[in-house]
Amino acid sequence: MSDRHSLRLEANQQKQGKVSWLSPSNLAIVKYWGKHGRQLPRNASISFTLDKAHSKTSIAYQIKSDSTDSDIKVKFRFHKEENEAFANRIKKFFASIKDLFPFIDQLEFTIDSENTFPHSSGIASSASGMSVLALGLCDIEQQLFGTLSDDSDFYTKASHVARLGSGSACRSVYPYMASWGVHPDITDSSDEHATVFQEELHDVFKSFHDDILIVSASEKSVSSTAGHALMEGNPYAAARYQQAQDRMHDLIIALKEGDLQSFGKIAEDEALTLHALMMCSDPSYMLVEPNTIAIINELRAYRHETNHPVYFSLDAGPNIHLLYPDHIKDEVVKFRDERLMPLTTGVCIEDQVGTGPKKLS
Ligand code: PMV
């Protein structure tokens, strides 16, 4: 294990290499909203790992010529264009995880990254972007020191590191579904890293659809970081954290049993709770748009008419995640295109539950 190893390169060690990974975004069904300490969650959360919405990143590294230089050296290209602002963010992130990767200031890095979902589509890229960096760094540690050859150690550390970059990113390193945060119903659950929720997951959820309907592609007016911070003064915070723990309990049962009605109710209640918490923060704010609500009403009317198990969720933004099982795909796509797409910007990312990150050759 890495903590018995100094993880420092020997002087004059000639080392260079390159790692490439793909890592997906994720959609929380029970939401993480509120944190403390070093990116620790106030409650447990659980998410679908997505498939199409992902980032691909390669990290080329070489040992610095000047061994006395302790600056963090990062060059960052996003879709082949150098991006100074992102490079600075990554430098700050790398500086903050030197305790986990003590060799980080002995190397210089050239990072090339791209997202497969449309840029400025309103989809948060931090979960895929931070998890892919964490996986890359763990791979570099393994290449240089051989300390992460055990898969479980590798993914646990990748999840831990991703969490330090963006809390929700820690759940992206696992296939299908992953939870994060201590919960009595989940063996080995932890606030430090995510836990895969795969073996007990009913098959119906392994091919679940998540169509992301873009209502607005504008940048959020209040960042998630600011939103988490506002939970500290929210008078409903304690009740919310307890509610999330209780909903985790109920959701886990639904996920094991393939109970779509209970799943859908919790997914929608969680989405609306997240936005209600924003509306009752001080200062209050709203990230939903009129068409977010119009879509929700249309969807609920359709469900009433047809009894089809199709539900919505929301991230910290106005875009709708349309959730439904594969066996009703044709009917839902017809309904979506006729009745929901006119309420969007015309962009829909047809995503679904995916099998997690991949190492690219
Ligand atoms: O990971 P952050 O700090 O961007 O927070 C994201 C929180 C939500 O996406 C709104 C919910 C979640 O659990 O993913």
Side-chain angles (χ1 to χ4, degrees), residues 31-266:
K31 311 286 185 184
Y32 145 64
W33 200 240
K35 62 179 171 180
H36 66 104
R38 194 178 175 192
Q39 294 270 84
L40 297 166
R42 289 286 187 195
N43 61 264
S45 58
I46 188 162
S47 56
F48 279 139
T49 298
L50 298 180
D51 184 43
K52 290 225 177 78
H54 62 241
S55 303
K56 280 183 189 169
T57 295
S58 67
I59 311 178
Y61 62 90
Q62 62 177 42
I63 200 159
K64 281 180 185 167
S65 44
D66 177 2
S67 62
T68 61
D69 178 359
S70 61
D71 283 357
I72 304 282
K73 289 254 160 46
V74 175
K75 240 193 220 153
F76 183 83
R77 287 188 291 253
F78 188 63
H79 288 261
K80 298 198 164 62
E81 275 187 28
E82 223 158 285
N83 187 314
E84 185 91 22
F86 276 140
N88 288 336
R89 248 189 93 182
I90 293 170
K91 277 186 206 165
K92 255 174 103 177
F93 174 50
F94 279 14
S96 76
I97 52 173
K98 257 173 70 174
D99 55 333
L100 297 166
F101 299 108
F103 58 88
I104 218 161
D105 61 359
Q106 294 183 290
L107 299 174
E108 41 193 62
F109 301 93
T110 303
I111 304 177
D112 273 282
S113 192
E114 56 186 58
N115 293 341
T116 49
F117 41 97
H119 188 40
S120 302
S121 64
I123 304 297
S125 54
S126 61
S128 55
M130 285 299 172
S131 56
V132 83
L133 273 182
L135 289 155
L137 287 172
C138 287
D139 202 2
I140 293 173
E141 176 183 323
Q142 170 59 17
Q143 281 188 2
L144 294 175
F145 303 96
T147 36
L148 292 173
S149 45
D150 178 271
D151 263 9
S152 161
D153 289 346
F154 183 94
Y155 286 100
T156 302
K157 182 159 183 178
S159 177
H160 180 130
V161 173
R163 178 198 110 229
L164 297 174
S166 169
S168 59
C170 72
R171 298 183 309 239
S172 274
V173 307
Y174 292 115
Y176 304 112
M177 287 199 95
S179 72
W180 168 38
V182 172
H183 193 279
D185 297 355
I186 297 178
T187 321
D188 296 332
S189 60
S190 167
D191 285 352
E192 301 278 344
H193 57 81
T195 306
V196 66
F197 188 82
Q198 183 182 352
E199 261 167 46
E200 293 176 302
L201 183 64
H202 191 282
D203 277 347
V204 74
F205 294 110
K206 292 187 181 161
S207 55
F208 228 67
H209 289 267
D210 179 350
D211 292 344
I212 310 169
L213 309 183
I214 308 303
V215 170
S216 164
S218 322
E219 194 138 312
K220 286 186 279 195
S221 55
V222 180
S223 69
S224 289
T225 309
H228 285 292
L230 286 172
M231 280 303 284
E232 291 307 298
N234 191 308
Y236 302 104
R240 158 61 194 162
Y241 301 141
Q242 184 55 49
Q243 175 190 60
Q245 296 298 94
D246 296 344
R247 283 181 175 162
M248 283 289 289
H249 172 80
D250 295 343
L251 180 65
I252 288 165
I253 296 170
L255 292 172
K256 287 181 187 170
E257 292 180 351
D259 176 350
L260 295 177
Q261 277 72 29
S262 305
F263 162 84
K265 178 175 171 6
I266 296 167

